[in-house]
Amino acid sequence: MSDVLITNGRVVDPATSLDEIADIHLTDGSIARIGTGLSVAGAEIVDVTGAVVAPGLVDMHTHLREPGREDEETIATASAAAAAGGYTAICAMPNTDPVQDSASVVDQVWASGREAGLVEVVVSGALSKGLKGERMADLGEMAGSAARVRLFTDDGHGVQDALFARRVMEYLVSVDGIYAEHCEVEALAAGGQMHEGETSHRLGLRGIPAEAEELMAARDIALAKMTGCRLHLLHVSTAGTVELVRRAKSDGLHVTCEATPHHFTLTDATLEGYDPMCKVNPPLRPARDRAAVIEGLKDGTIDAIATDHAPHAQQEKDQEFSYAPPGLVGLETALALTITELVDPGHLTLAVAVERLSTTPARILGLDGHGSLATGRPANLVVFDPAAEWMVDPMKLRSKSRNTPFAGRTLKGKVLHTFFNGKQTVTAGEVVRGALV
Amino acid sequence: MIGKHLLSMNQLTAHDITQILDTAESLRRVTDRPIKKLPTLRGRTVCNLFYEASTRTRISFELAAKRLSADVINFSADSRSSVAKGESFKDTAWTLEAMGVDAIIVRHGSSGAPHQLAQWVDAHVINAGDGAHEHPTQALLDLFSIRERFKEIEGLKVAIVGDIIHSRVARSNVKGLITMGAEVTLVGPATLIPREAASWGATITHQLDPLLEDLDVCYLLRVQKERQNEQLFPSLREYANLWGLDARRMSKMKADALVMHPGPMNRGVEIAAEVSESPRSIILDQVANGLAVRMSLLYLMLGSNEGIDA
């Protein structure tokens, strides 16, 4: 029986419409009570005056690289990076080696996540065997496994065959799965290095047009309407996609989507210096698309902020731009980028930011134990100082890979403590080793 | 001044370009002497780092450096073979740096490779062609060749015809010509011209014939035969019919108008054999001038300390 009393924080919980200075009493890993002037005999007091207490962040889109590329990241290092970034749940993308396309692989990832014990590792499953877009992965068996897979995606690849997409959507309805798409028509995007536009043509880099994303988004929305399947669009990056989702939602379709911090922070202009750190897929887009992503986050068209955390080994990023793999690490910068780029300039209130980072992604993934500070729920929460500034130093990241385009940037918003199922995984900004072990 | 590296024509003002061309003119006289060598770069080492096959550019740079008495080393590798062997571009760069190379002339299939190299080494970096990005020394030698004939570049009407979208020669030439005050028109099928090329300051058109009588320079780009398989135009025959410069089209051009081509040519596609060998064609002058322009660049960038970092 352990009691913790988190005192004097600004408690922000969109799920219960709470935003006030209060104390939170945690007992036996759950939230016992929220109120002012609480006092609990024998409780450990964590005074968080001046800081914000929010439900732990939930990342819908994390590449953990284990199994297969443990030199780049492991489930344990990704969990530590996530905890340090204020997360209590992360969704493991299936493009591992072997691919998460069967119950045995998803269960292995799920069990390793439990063993790391720093966050809840929610496991997604592939839509197709080997992410090839040809034969269905073991969708029902993954849904019924210990990992209880709910979100299915071939992330990294869009499903090219419309009939296959239709069949998978129809099938997923019967196992209560979400069809999550990496929207990219390969015929239009093949060989592309960055967004196709004025900058790519000037730099002489082959472009990926916005239409490569938008055509597939439009197709999937039509198929979702046809099949009744729940559709989630991963990392939307163009004004056109945001508009398609806005219209689909107003038509009453069950479509959700996410956007990444790098797409609401950076534009394709950052590619001017050919820095492979800024190479990512979908690519960074022009200012107009970035503004549309911010607008979508503002009006709720975009439900979630997701990192698309994609670790890469140094030698792979240290190549010619055309050969370097796309992707960047994001777990430890997402909250600060949200505060610096969206809350500070007045695009989002802090409460809406928390909704996009925690409440809504938890709801989409069906995680009852996350995304809310309601009494009786597991104590999954983050304490952060929204005003504290810090400089991104790649060498200080807990992730095993250091491929961030934000090196040297000063950001606002610092994680102080993270609690996962009532145990402190981060204290005073430091990850507690073996928190649950 | 030119700056430490030459990566893009963007970095050169009209004044810089004029200085490079003027210097090239003086240096060309050296090549007319019986002993064709200056001692300027004695004791300096220049490395040709070529990740893409090239004959004329590499030989031209090698000869330019040797005429200035520099030591020259050549490193050639296919873009991907060095990767397969396990030595990365960065490691190769650091190796050359450790050997005390003063300048690296780099040709690479990946756009931006010279920019990356310039961040890794202290040596001067000269872009000898990177992917579909730029080929600044080609543009400089073209400007030299045009100026030689017309004395002034400002106000000239220049058409660049063909595969603009994949062409580093086109990108560098558009920048250089516009900086020097020429009027540039890009001509070809829409599949071969970037939609945003208007923002480069050039005019875009899809028909060559209406332009011919006003042109001072008709600059033809090489059509890469493999493009045919990418469905960028129906056939080489149709391309030649619509955009190739043949004798009939050439006859519409002004008497003093020039025909240029960066080579290697596909005779019978973008240029007819009789056009390439006509008096209007200055294609061989372009090659000869390349040597003088590259000597000029090495002279200005490596030759005196004032010329380098000021």
Side-chain angles (χ1 to χ4, degrees):
Chain A
M1 184 96 174
S2 67
D3 291 286
V4 179
L5 197 57
I6 302 170
T7 60
N8 301 316
R10 175 183 164 192
V11 180
V12 178
D13 182 29
T16 56
S17 305
L18 193 67
D19 188 350
E20 61 190 39
I21 307 289
D23 304 332
I24 305 185
H25 173 205
L26 315 181
T27 188
D28 288 339
S30 296
I31 296 169
R33 206 178 148 202
I34 300 182
T36 46
L38 297 187
S39 143
V40 179
E44 178 197 345
I45 308 281
V46 183
D47 180 27
V48 298
T49 305
V52 171
V53 186
L57 310 186
V58 176
D59 187 20
M60 296 191 69
H61 197 138
T62 320
H63 295 277
L64 279 68
R65 300 290 186 237
E66 181 182 347
R69 283 305 300 266
E70 291 81 355
D71 61 314
E72 294 185 325
E73 192 82 287
T74 65
I75 290 167
T77 57
S79 297
Y87 287 90
T88 53
I90 56 179
C91 182
M93 288 291 110
N95 61 336
T96 46
D97 182 16
V99 171
Q100 291 163 209
D101 58 8
S102 67
S104 63
V105 180
V106 294
D107 279 351
Q108 183 198 327
V109 172
W110 180 75
S112 301
R114 298 257 298 181
E115 199 179 315
L118 291 166
V119 292
E120 181 162 350
V121 175
V122 180
V123 189
S124 72
L127 293 166
S128 68
K129 277 280 171 199
L131 307 171
K132 290 196 171 81
E134 292 163 359
R135 294 189 307 124
M136 282 189 202
D138 302 336
L139 304 169
E141 288 175 9
M142 289 191 278
S145 72
R148 304 189 64 79
V149 174
R150 183 179 176 87
L151 184 130
F152 296 89
T153 177
D154 274 1
D155 182 54
H157 306 272
V159 172
Q160 302 301 309
D161 181 339
L163 177 61
F164 182 76
R166 174 196 169 168
R167 294 282 187 243
V168 173
M169 283 195 201
E170 285 173 333
Y171 192 85
L172 282 177
V173 170
S174 49
V175 298
D176 196 24
I178 304 168
Y179 181 107
E181 187 79 274
H182 167 113
C183 293
E184 181 176 346
V185 174
E186 278 166 15
L188 287 174
Q193 301 290 327
M194 65 176 292
H195 172 74
E196 179 178 326
E198 194 277 324
T199 310
S200 71
H201 283 129
R202 193 157 33 78
L203 295 180
L205 290 170
R206 195 172 173 114
I208 301 171
E211 288 76 6
E213 175 174 311
E214 293 158 2
L215 280 175
M216 193 169 284
R219 180 202 73 180
D220 283 353
I221 288 168
L223 291 174
K225 187 174 180 185
M226 176 195 197
T227 61
C229 184
R230 288 201 42 196
L231 174 66
H232 178 74
L233 302 183
L234 302 163
H235 43 49
V236 303
S237 68
T238 80
T241 311
V242 174
E243 192 46 42
L244 284 164
V245 174
R246 187 173 286 126
R247 215 176 313 149
K249 285 186 168 184
S250 78
D251 289 348
L253 295 181
H254 203 151
V255 175
T256 55
C257 71
E258 64 185 39
T260 73
H262 45 278
H263 286 109
F264 66 63
T265 302
L266 303 173
T267 67
D268 62 345
T270 57
L271 277 307
E272 296 279 355
Y274 298 94
D275 182 357
M277 288 300 183
C278 300
K279 183 173 173 179
V280 64
N281 195 22
L284 301 174
R285 305 286 187 182
R288 175 179 164 268
D289 295 295
R290 174 181 171 234
V293 166
I294 293 173
E295 195 50 43
L297 283 163
K298 221 161 150 174
D299 71 11
T301 300
I302 300 174
D303 304 88
I305 293 169
T307 66
D308 196 3
H309 179 84
H312 286 295
Q314 187 185 334
Q315 70 274 12
E316 296 197 354
K317 275 292 193 183
D318 255 356
Q319 294 192 76
E320 294 87 329
F321 191 90
S322 320
Y323 308 151
L328 50 94
V329 294
L331 287 169
E332 294 169 76
T333 47
L335 174 64
L337 286 167
T338 303
I339 291 170
T340 309
E341 298 291 328
L342 301 178
V343 178
D344 242 29
H347 298 305
L348 302 188
T349 63
L350 193 62
V352 172
V354 169
E355 216 175 315
R356 306 281 180 265
L357 283 163
S358 172
T359 321
T360 319
R363 203 184 58 226
I364 294 169
L365 291 170
L367 302 176
D368 293 336
H370 297 266
S372 167
L373 297 178
T375 310
R377 298 285 194 108
N380 288 312
L381 53 91
V382 57
V383 179
F384 60 91
D385 180 345
E389 295 194 336
W390 59 287
M391 203 183 75
V392 180
D393 177 354
M395 297 315 287
K396 289 189 178 153
L397 296 177
R398 282 75 164 186
S399 172
K400 208 166 178 180
S401 292
R402 313 189 180 285
N403 50 306
T404 172
F406 301 111
R409 254 200 207 218
T410 299
L411 301 179
K412 215 178 207 185
K414 202 172 171 148
V415 173
L416 302 175
H417 312 295
T418 309
F419 288 82
F420 172 52
N421 289 336
K423 298 284 164 92
Q424 205 161 353
T425 52
V426 173
T427 178
E430 292 302 321
V431 177
V432 179
R433 291 286 154 190
L436 268 200
V437 182
Chain B
M1 298 311 288
I2 302 170
K4 181 168 179 182
H5 310 293
L6 180 60
L7 306 176
S8 158
M9 288 299 285
N10 268 347
Q11 64 187 86
L12 300 180
T13 63
H15 176 83
D16 296 333
I17 292 173
T18 303
Q19 187 194 15
I20 293 166
L21 303 189
D22 288 349
T23 309
E25 221 166 272
S26 327
L27 288 167
R28 199 170 49 162
R29 287 179 217 124
V30 174
T31 60
D32 297 335
R33 293 182 200 160
I35 294 173
K36 301 177 172 64
K37 212 159 180 166
L38 286 178
T40 318
L41 299 187
R42 191 183 294 154
R44 308 280 245 157
T45 307
V46 172
C47 177
N48 279 317
L49 179 58
F50 275 57
Y51 282 91
E52 242 184 22
S54 156
T55 313
R56 67 186 70 205
T57 305
R58 192 188 57 72
I59 289 175
S60 178
F61 265 113
E62 181 170 355
L63 205 50
K66 284 180 169 167
R67 294 245 163 114
L68 294 169
S69 305
D71 294 319
V72 180
I73 48 177
N74 289 307
F75 181 102
S76 296
D78 174 66
S79 298
R80 301 257 44 170
S81 77
S82 71
V83 175
K85 278 180 207 149
E87 175 152 86
S88 69
F89 182 41
K90 191 175 190 175
D91 283 333
T92 302
W94 282 355
T95 303
L96 293 171
E97 180 90 334
M99 289 178 182
V101 165
D102 297 294
I104 301 175
I105 291 150
V106 60
R107 157 75 58 103
H108 204 297
S110 178
S111 298
H115 288 71
Q116 293 178 280
L117 180 62
Q119 288 174 355
W120 297 330
V121 298
D122 280 333
H124 298 272
V125 173
I126 296 176
N127 182 357
D130 64 324
H133 177 230
E134 282 219 40
H135 191 354
T137 60
Q138 176 72 43
L140 289 167
L141 72 88
D142 290 334
L143 290 169
F144 185 93
S145 306
I146 294 170
R147 194 180 76 160
E148 191 176 35
R149 291 297 180 105
F150 289 106
K151 309 299 170 218
E152 274 291 334
I153 297 170
E154 193 170 352
L156 293 179
K157 291 188 165 58
V158 182
I160 301 178
V161 187
D163 187 359
I164 312 291
I165 205 162
H166 301 100
S167 174
R168 52 192 174 213
V169 172
R171 277 177 186 72
S172 286
N173 261 306
V174 170
K175 288 171 190 169
L177 285 163
I178 286 173
T179 302
M180 297 310 284
E183 288 175 36
V184 181
T185 305
L186 304 175
V187 192
T191 44
L192 295 180
I193 301 182
R195 276 172 291 154
E196 295 81 1
S199 70
W200 302 352
T203 307
I204 298 174
T205 180
H206 303 302
Q207 289 182 314
L208 179 57
D209 289 310
L211 292 178
L212 289 166
E213 56 194 41
D214 276 339
L215 288 182
D216 296 300
V217 177
C218 187
Y219 196 111
L220 305 163
L221 296 171
R222 176 181 167 80
V223 175
Q224 287 171 314
K225 292 192 173 156
E226 63 270 22
R227 299 286 175 220
Q228 218 186 173
N229 304 327
E230 293 178 34
Q231 299 306 310
L232 292 164
F233 47 85
S235 67
L236 290 172
R237 182 178 49 81
E238 176 162 325
Y239 182 91
N241 278 337
L242 270 62
W243 293 284
L245 191 66
D246 56 14
R248 181 184 59 84
R249 285 202 169 105
M250 186 173 67
S251 69
K252 295 187 191 162
M253 292 170 66
K254 291 191 284 192
D256 63 344
L258 302 179
V259 174
M260 298 176 73
H261 192 296
M265 288 179 276
N266 288 313
R267 287 199 178 79
V269 184
E270 70 270 6
I271 188 166
E274 63 264 45
V275 172
S276 70
E277 284 155 24
S278 81
R280 291 172 192 277
S281 157
I282 57 165
I283 295 165
L284 287 175
D285 295 7
Q286 288 173 267
V287 177
N289 293 336
L291 178 59
V293 162
R294 290 177 177 118
M295 281 175 75
S296 164
L297 261 186
L298 290 171
Y299 182 93
L300 292 170
M301 290 176 74
L302 295 170
S304 72
N305 287 327
E306 293 101 57
I308 295 165
D309 291 314

CSV table of all heavy atoms in Angstrom, one decimal, chain A residues 22 48 72 116 121 130 167 192 233 293 296 308 419:
chain,number,residue,atom,x,y,z
A,22,ALA,N,-4.7,21.9,-8.1
A,22,ALA,CA,-5.2,20.9,-7.2
A,22,ALA,C,-4.2,19.9,-6.8
A,22,ALA,O,-3.0,19.9,-7.3
A,22,ALA,CB,-6.4,20.2,-7.9
A,48,VAL,N,4.6,20.0,-6.9
A,48,VAL,CA,4.8,20.4,-8.4
A,48,VAL,C,4.3,21.8,-8.6
A,48,VAL,O,3.7,22.1,-9.7
A,48,VAL,CB,4.2,19.4,-9.3
A,48,VAL,CG1,4.8,18.0,-9.1
A,48,VAL,CG2,2.7,19.3,-9.1
A,72,GLU,N,19.6,0.0,-33.5
A,72,GLU,CA,19.0,1.4,-33.7
A,72,GLU,C,18.1,1.8,-32.5
A,72,GLU,O,18.1,2.9,-32.1
A,72,GLU,CB,18.2,1.5,-34.9
A,72,GLU,CG,19.0,1.4,-36.2
A,72,GLU,CD,18.3,1.6,-37.5
A,72,GLU,OE1,17.1,1.2,-37.5
A,72,GLU,OE2,18.8,2.1,-38.4
A,116,ALA,N,10.0,-4.4,-20.1
A,116,ALA,CA,10.7,-3.1,-19.9
A,116,ALA,C,10.0,-2.2,-18.8
A,116,ALA,O,10.7,-1.5,-18.1
A,116,ALA,CB,10.7,-2.3,-21.3
A,121,VAL,N,3.3,-0.7,-23.9
A,121,VAL,CA,3.6,-0.9,-25.3
A,121,VAL,C,2.4,-1.6,-25.9
A,121,VAL,O,2.1,-2.7,-25.7
A,121,VAL,CB,4.9,-1.7,-25.5
A,121,VAL,CG1,5.1,-2.0,-27.0
A,121,VAL,CG2,6.1,-1.0,-24.9
A,130,GLY,N,4.0,-9.7,-44.3
A,130,GLY,CA,5.3,-9.1,-44.8
A,130,GLY,C,5.2,-7.7,-45.3
A,130,GLY,O,6.0,-7.2,-46.0
A,167,ARG,N,-11.1,-5.5,-49.1
A,167,ARG,CA,-11.3,-6.7,-48.4
A,167,ARG,C,-10.9,-6.7,-47.0
A,167,ARG,O,-11.5,-7.2,-46.1
A,167,ARG,CB,-10.5,-7.8,-49.1
A,167,ARG,CG,-11.0,-8.2,-50.5
A,167,ARG,CD,-12.3,-9.0,-50.5
A,167,ARG,NE,-12.6,-9.5,-51.9
A,167,ARG,CZ,-13.7,-9.1,-52.5
A,167,ARG,NH1,-14.6,-8.4,-51.9
A,167,ARG,NH2,-14.0,-9.6,-53.7
A,192,GLY,N,11.1,9.4,-54.8
A,192,GLY,CA,11.0,10.7,-54.3
A,192,GLY,C,11.8,10.9,-53.0
A,192,GLY,O,11.9,10.0,-52.2
A,233,LEU,N,-6.0,7.7,-40.6
A,233,LEU,CA,-5.0,8.1,-41.5
A,233,LEU,C,-3.7,8.5,-40.7
A,233,LEU,O,-3.8,9.4,-39.9
A,233,LEU,CB,-5.4,9.2,-42.4
A,233,LEU,CG,-6.7,8.9,-43.2
A,233,LEU,CD1,-7.0,10.1,-44.2
A,233,LEU,CD2,-6.5,7.6,-44.1
A,293,VAL,N,-2.2,21.9,-41.4
A,293,VAL,CA,-2.0,20.9,-40.4
A,293,VAL,C,-2.3,21.6,-39.0
A,293,VAL,O,-3.1,21.0,-38.2
A,293,VAL,CB,-0.6,20.2,-40.4
A,293,VAL,CG1,-0.4,19.5,-39.1
A,293,VAL,CG2,-0.5,19.3,-41.6
A,296,GLY,N,-6.0,22.1,-38.7
A,296,GLY,CA,-6.6,20.8,-38.5
A,296,GLY,C,-6.5,20.4,-37.0
A,296,GLY,O,-7.5,19.8,-36.5
A,308,ASP,N,5.7,9.5,-34.9
A,308,ASP,CA,6.3,8.7,-36.0
A,308,ASP,C,7.8,8.6,-35.7
A,308,ASP,O,8.7,8.7,-36.6
A,308,ASP,CB,6.2,9.4,-37.4
A,308,ASP,CG,6.5,8.4,-38.5
A,308,ASP,OD1,6.9,7.3,-38.3
A,308,ASP,OD2,6.5,8.9,-39.7
A,419,PHE,N,4.4,9.2,-14.3
A,419,PHE,CA,3.9,8.1,-13.5
A,419,PHE,C,3.2,7.1,-14.4
A,419,PHE,O,2.3,7.5,-15.2
A,419,PHE,CB,2.9,8.6,-12.4
A,419,PHE,CG,3.5,9.4,-11.3
A,419,PHE,CD1,3.8,10.8,-11.5
A,419,PHE,CD2,3.8,8.8,-10.1
A,419,PHE,CE1,4.3,11.5,-10.5
A,419,PHE,CE2,4.4,9.6,-9.0
A,419,PHE,CZ,4.7,10.9,-9.2
